[in-house]
Amino acid sequence: MKLSRRGILTGAAAGGGLLVAWWLLPRTYHNPLTPGRGEDVFGAWLRIGENSVVTVAVPQLEMGQGVTTVLPQLVAMELGADWRQVAIEPAPPSGAYPNLPLAQKWAPLWDPVAAGLSDTTDELLAARFARETRFNATAEGTTLAAYEDMAREAGAAARAMLAQEAAERWGMAWEELTIAEGLVRGGDGLIATFGELASGAAERAVPDPAPLRPEPAREEPLAVFADAAPAFPRIDLPAKVDGSLQFAGDVRLPGMLHASIRHGPNAGAELTGFDAAAGYGVPGVVQVVEGRRWLAAVAETWWSAERALEAMNPQFTVSYPAGSAEIPARLGLMLENGASFRIAETGFGAEGMTRVDLARRYEVEPHLAAPLETATATARFAGGRLELWIASQASESARRAAADALGIAAEDVALYPMPAGGSFDARLEHDHAIEVALVAREVAERFPEGARAVQLTWPRRSELTHARPRPPAWMLLGAQLQPGVPGSPGTGGAIDALRVRIACPPAALEFGRRLFGGLTPWAAIRETEGKKDPLACTGAVPPYQLPSLVVEHVPVEISLPVGRVRGNADSYTAFAIESFIDEIAQQSGREPLSYRMAMLGSDIRLAACLQRAAQLGDWDGGASGSGQGLACHRLGDGPDAPRIACVATARGSAGESGGGVRVTRLSVAVDIGRIVNLDIARQQIEGGLVFGLGMALGRAPRWRSGLPASVDYADLDLPTLADCPEIQVDFIASEAPPADPGEIGAVVAPPAIANALFSATGLRLRRLPLLSDGI
C-alpha cells in the first residue's frame, strides 16, 4: 500500500482524534477505530494516548498463533515505540483490512466463474471483493503477506506526523529527529514523549510517501540449542498465564443466560421430537428453543441447560447416514474406476509414462480439528439489533450469517471479536453464530422488559459430532523408474514419470459454498458433487524436478460434510508422496537422503533444509533397525514457498502393549524466509509437529449412521506431554519473503514418522493414522 498526500483525508474524529482513511479505503468507509478518552486515532491501525500507550488494531483472529504480537511488532518497529508501551485491540470487520492474498487464492470458492481468467483480472476482482465484503479472514498463513506492508506504512505515517509536530515546536527539520524507544529526540537534549505530541501530530498531513525504515522487521536464526530471551515477547502471554485473558467462553454480561445444544447426527438430519416438559422441569431452565436440525435449552447456568437436554431426549431423523465401513469402500471403488479431472501436468505429462514399475495406495482417514475450546458465542438481541461476541476466523461471514438468520441487515449486527482457545480452522465455520442469534431472539421475546444476553456453548459431543473433519483421501501413486547400471547396485530408481491419483470429496468447494454461498452443509455437498477441486489436492505436485508428472482428482461424495483442518490437503498429499519416495528408494537400494537430494534440481533452499535436518538428527542413512525416517515438503508453489525437512526417530514393536510405538525425537530444519519473530516461529513449528504427531499416532474418529462412534475427547488419543518427543528446530537464514510457520510442521511429521517406523519395524504403514493398520 502506497501513501500519498492526496490519499490521506484528515479531519477531527469523535473525541478530538484524527480520522485517516488511506487511499485503500473508499471515501464512504468509516474509520473502524474510535478514540478513547485522552487518545488520538492515527489511521485504521493505531491510537496514541496522552500516556504514550500505543494501541494497535489487529484484524486477524488470535487463536494461539501469536498474531496479536507479530502485527503490533511491525507497527511498533516502524513507529519507534518501546515494546512495553504497546497494547492491542481486536479490529472489527472493516474494508480497511482486506486480506488480498487469501481472497485471490480462494477466488474459485467465491467466484468460480470468473476465477482464473488472468493474473491481472484475478488480482483486481480479489481486491474489489475483499474490500467490499470486509474480507479479513484468518487462514492459509496469509497474515504477513496481507498485512505486513499495511502495518509498516501505518507505523511510518504516525512516526512522521509525530516528528513533524516535534520539529515545529523545536524549530528544526523533522527529518533530523530520531524516534526510538518511545521517545522523539532532537539536538541539545530535546526529548518528547509520544503522548506529549499526539494531539498536535494528529492534525498533520502525512509526507508523500511516508518514510519506511530501510530494513523490514527481521530476526536472525539462532543455533538450535541457543537460549536467548525473545526481543518481542508475546503480548498475550502474561494474561494467559494468570488466567485473565478473555476467550469467547469467558464473556460475562449482567443477567446473562446460558445455553447448550444438541445437533442431529448429520447434515440431513431433522428434529422429530423431544419431551419439553422434562426440560422445563429441570431447575433453572427458562426456555427451550427448537431449530429444524437442533434443540437448545436456555438456563441460568450451562449445567442446568445441559441437564435439560439430557432429560428432553431429542430425537432426529437421519438422511443418508455416513459410516466408517461405507466411506472407505466408496473411496476405493472411485479411486480405481471413477471419472477424474487433471489437476496438474508437467514435463512430458501423461505421455511420459509408458509403464508402471511401482504402484502403491495410501489411505488417509478423516481427521477432526478438535480445539480445546468448543464453539462458543454470546448474543444479545434488542430493538431489532444484535450484539455478537464470538471468535471467528471469518468475522464478516459470521456477522452476515447471523443477520440473515434473523432477517435483519448486516449493519444491525455489532460483532465483538474474541480470541479463540485453539481453532485449527474450525472457527472458519459459523453455525454457532446462527444458532446463538436465533436463541437470543427467542430470549428477547421471553424477556421483553429488558434484553438479556445468552451464551451458547457447544458441549464436547457437539464439537465432535457437528464439526466437519478434514476429508478422507485415498491416493494411488505410480512411478516409471530408470533401470540401474548392470553390476552397479544402487544406481537405478530415478523417477522418469509419476502419476498421482487422489480420490476425495471436493472439500474446498464444499467449504466455500458454506462460507460464501450461505448453503447448508447438505446443500453444499449436493451442489459440489462430482466437481473438480484443485484446492483439495494442494501439495500433490512434489518439490522434485521430474521429467513427467500428472496429478488427477477423483471427486467422491461420501455423505459426510467435510471441511478444513490444520495442514488441509497438504497433510495427506505429503504423507502419500514422501512415503512413496521412501518406498522407491528402499526398493532401488538407494539411501533416502541422497535419493531426494538428487531429484531437487536447483532447489537450494530445500537441499539446505535436508542437509541440516540430517545433521541435527544424526542421520545414519535410515538403515533397517535404525528407527530413523526422513521427509521433506514445500508448502505451496514457487521460489518463495516455505520448505521443511524432518528426521524422525522412533522405536516400535508390534508385540508391545498399545502398539509399542514411541517417537523419541523430531529433528527439523525449516526455511520460512525472513523471520519476523523467531520465538513465535519456533512455537508454531513445534506446535505443528505435535499436531502432526497426533495425526500420525492418534485415533481416527469412527462414524456410525452419521455419528462418531465416540464423543469422548480422550478417545481421539491425542498426544499428552509425556508422549511428546524431544524436538529440535533449526531455521535456515533466508532472504525470501516471510512465510507462515503454523501449517508446515503438521504436514511433514506424519510421513517422517511413518518412514521411521518402517526402519524400526520393517512394517510399511500406508494408512493414516498409522495405528489404524492394526499394529
Side-chain angles (χ1 to χ4, degrees):
M1 180 178 71
K2 305 251 184 235
L3 295 179
S4 68
R5 228 178 261 280
R6 290 179 297 173
I8 301 295
L9 297 175
T10 306
L18 175 72
L19 178 63
V20 178
W22 313 126
W23 74 267
L24 168 67
L25 309 181
R27 291 176 183 264
T28 54
Y29 281 2
H30 296 290
N31 191 308
L33 296 188
T34 302
R37 179 176 298 177
E39 286 186 325
D40 293 282
V41 177
F42 288 74
W45 278 86
L46 65 132
R47 304 193 309 260
I48 300 178
E50 59 187 15
N51 58 358
S52 294
V53 171
V54 179
T55 302
V56 179
V58 179
Q60 297 272 274
L61 173 66
E62 176 60 72
M63 47 190 173
Q65 83 279 38
V67 69
T68 49
T69 296
V70 173
L71 289 180
Q73 174 187 341
L74 295 170
V75 174
M77 293 179 73
E78 279 295 335
L79 179 59
D82 189 295
W83 190 236
R84 293 168 295 182
Q85 73 185 107
V86 176
I88 56 175
E89 177 181 293
S94 171
Y97 315 109
N99 188 333
L100 301 180
L102 185 60
Q104 187 169 351
K105 183 172 184 178
W106 281 2
L109 307 185
W110 53 264
D111 192 355
V113 176
L117 293 177
S118 71
D119 291 342
T120 302
T121 302
D122 286 351
E123 289 180 11
L124 292 173
L125 289 175
R128 180 177 178 181
F129 165 81
R131 291 165 183 157
E132 289 185 352
T133 64
R134 305 183 183 98
F135 181 73
N136 66 336
T138 308
E140 299 274 10
T142 52
T143 294
L144 285 173
Y147 298 112
E148 181 179 25
D149 288 347
M150 290 188 202
R152 288 189 65 197
E153 289 170 357
R159 171 166 50 85
M161 296 163 81
L162 292 169
Q164 288 175 344
E165 176 64 17
E168 182 171 304
R169 294 184 186 185
W170 298 337
M172 304 174 65
W174 70 269
E175 294 88 350
E176 299 175 2
L177 306 183
T178 60
I179 302 182
E181 299 176 336
L183 297 173
V184 181
R185 291 183 171 89
D188 298 326
L190 295 172
I191 297 177
T193 66
F194 287 0
E196 292 170 341
L197 301 171
S199 293
E203 298 177 359
R204 296 186 172 274
V206 180
D208 186 10
L212 293 174
R213 296 187 186 274
E215 291 294 327
R218 179 193 302 273
E219 292 192 1
E220 296 300 327
L222 299 175
V224 67
F225 300 109
D227 185 16
F232 295 90
R234 292 184 67 131
I235 289 180
D236 58 354
L237 186 59
K240 286 182 174 178
V241 170
D242 66 20
S244 61
L245 185 68
Q246 300 291 296
F247 292 95
D250 296 320
V251 172
R252 294 295 181 268
L253 300 171
M256 188 178 79
L257 298 169
H258 297 263
S260 187
I261 197 167
R262 288 290 184 276
H263 295 96
N266 69 1
E270 292 188 15
L271 180 66
T272 58
F274 58 95
D275 186 352
Y280 281 111
V282 175
V285 173
V286 299
Q287 196 155 4
V288 174
V289 182
E290 176 183 356
R292 182 181 178 186
R293 307 184 191 278
W294 48 267
L295 180 68
V298 182
E300 296 292 342
T301 67
W302 183 86
W303 182 241
S304 294
E306 178 67 12
R307 288 182 58 207
L309 288 169
E310 294 287 349
M312 288 188 289
N313 190 27
Q315 303 295 311
F316 297 88
T317 61
V318 178
S319 300
Y320 305 101
S324 289
E326 297 85 358
I327 291 174
R330 194 176 304 180
L331 288 165
L333 178 64
M334 294 296 289
L335 180 66
E336 297 289 342
N337 304 305
S340 65
F341 296 93
R342 191 153 294 176
I343 298 297
E345 187 172 20
T346 63
F348 296 106
E351 296 180 357
M353 180 172 282
T354 59
R355 67 180 188 276
V356 177
D357 296 318
L358 184 68
R360 293 290 186 269
R361 188 172 88 171
Y362 300 91
E363 303 170 356
V364 177
E365 299 191 51
H367 186 78
L368 291 169
L372 190 60
E373 182 186 41
T374 63
T376 303
T378 303
R380 180 165 53 201
F381 186 69
R385 293 179 59 85
L386 180 74
E387 293 178 281
L388 181 63
W389 291 259
I390 192 171
S392 174
Q393 290 179 248
S395 54
E396 182 63 9
S397 294
R399 179 172 172 254
R400 291 180 180 273
D404 291 344
L406 298 179
I408 62 177
E411 288 69 23
D412 290 327
V413 178
L415 187 145
Y416 307 112
M418 302 297 297
S423 176
F424 315 120
D425 278 354
R427 299 301 165 247
L428 279 165
E429 305 283 356
H430 49 243
D431 301 62
H432 55 309
I434 297 171
E435 293 161 358
V436 77
L438 294 172
V439 171
R441 184 175 62 183
E442 295 295 317
V443 168
E445 293 177 0
R446 172 72 170 79
F447 299 97
E449 69 283 357
R452 296 187 69 177
V454 59
Q455 183 176 92
L456 172 65
T457 303
W458 284 11
R460 179 63 60 188
R461 63 183 297 168
S462 283
E463 185 70 40
L464 298 181
T465 62
H466 201 57
R468 283 105 206 193
R470 178 200 61 196
W474 262 226
M475 292 159 285
L476 183 62
L477 277 67
Q480 177 178 309
L481 307 176
Q482 294 179 10
V485 177
S488 301
T491 58
I495 299 175
D496 274 339
L498 178 67
R499 181 182 181 185
V500 181
R501 185 174 168 89
I502 305 171
C504 68
L509 293 180
E510 186 181 322
F511 159 75
R513 297 311 297 145
R514 293 195 302 267
L515 183 68
F516 299 113
L519 297 188
T520 65
W522 199 250
I525 290 175
R526 291 305 175 212
E527 184 168 305
T528 59
E529 184 176 354
K531 292 187 177 180
K532 171 184 177 181
D533 190 355
L535 290 178
C537 303
T538 58
V541 176
Y544 308 109
Q545 291 190 4
L546 306 177
S548 299
L549 170 71
V550 173
V551 178
E552 298 171 328
H553 176 218
V554 182
V556 183
E557 193 276 300
I558 62 172
S559 297
L560 178 71
V562 292
R564 297 176 55 84
V565 173
R566 189 176 193 175
N568 293 294
D570 287 74
S571 65
Y572 47 79
T573 55
F575 168 70
I577 289 171
E578 284 300 289
S579 295
F580 191 53
I581 293 296
D582 234 54
E583 293 208 52
I584 296 174
Q586 189 271 335
Q587 177 173 295
S588 305
R590 302 284 297 272
E591 189 272 325
L593 174 61
S594 61
Y595 182 68
R596 287 173 168 85
M597 293 285 289
M599 294 189 294
L600 287 180
S602 60
D603 195 336
I604 299 175
R605 295 177 65 197
L606 188 53
C609 289
L610 278 165
Q611 291 175 330
R612 181 57 179 145
Q615 181 183 14
L616 279 178
D618 300 318
W619 176 254
D620 65 355
S624 177
S626 69
Q628 287 192 323
L630 180 68
C632 63
H633 191 63
R634 180 188 64 209
L635 192 63
D637 299 322
D640 295 337
R643 273 85 164 162
I644 193 168
C646 175
V647 172
T649 304
R651 300 289 181 263
S653 173
E656 292 184 11
S657 174
V661 176
R662 180 171 179 80
V663 178
T664 59
R665 184 165 63 165
L666 294 174
S667 302
V668 170
V670 59
D671 183 341
I672 57 169
R674 172 170 49 86
I675 300 171
V676 174
N677 189 302
L678 181 63
D679 189 49
I680 287 178
R682 189 178 302 279
Q683 293 171 23
Q684 285 297 288
I685 297 294
E686 291 174 348
L689 291 170
V690 175
F691 194 92
L693 178 71
M695 286 195 291
L697 301 180
R699 190 175 303 163
R702 301 292 175 181
W703 273 267
R704 296 174 185 166
S705 300
L707 277 171
S710 171
V711 292
D712 192 335
Y713 199 66
D715 285 343
L716 295 176
D717 204 16
L718 299 177
T720 64
L721 186 60
D723 298 320
C724 292
E726 176 189 356
I727 295 178
Q728 301 171 313
V729 178
D730 203 10
F731 291 92
I732 306 295
S734 177
E735 294 302 317
D740 173 63
E743 308 273 328
I744 198 166
V747 168
V748 79
I753 292 170
N755 294 335
L757 291 179
F758 172 75
S759 69
T761 66
L763 295 174
R764 177 61 68 177
L765 306 176
R766 301 188 181 96
R767 175 176 286 191
L768 198 64
L770 302 174
L771 299 190
S772 60
D773 271 5
I775 68 165

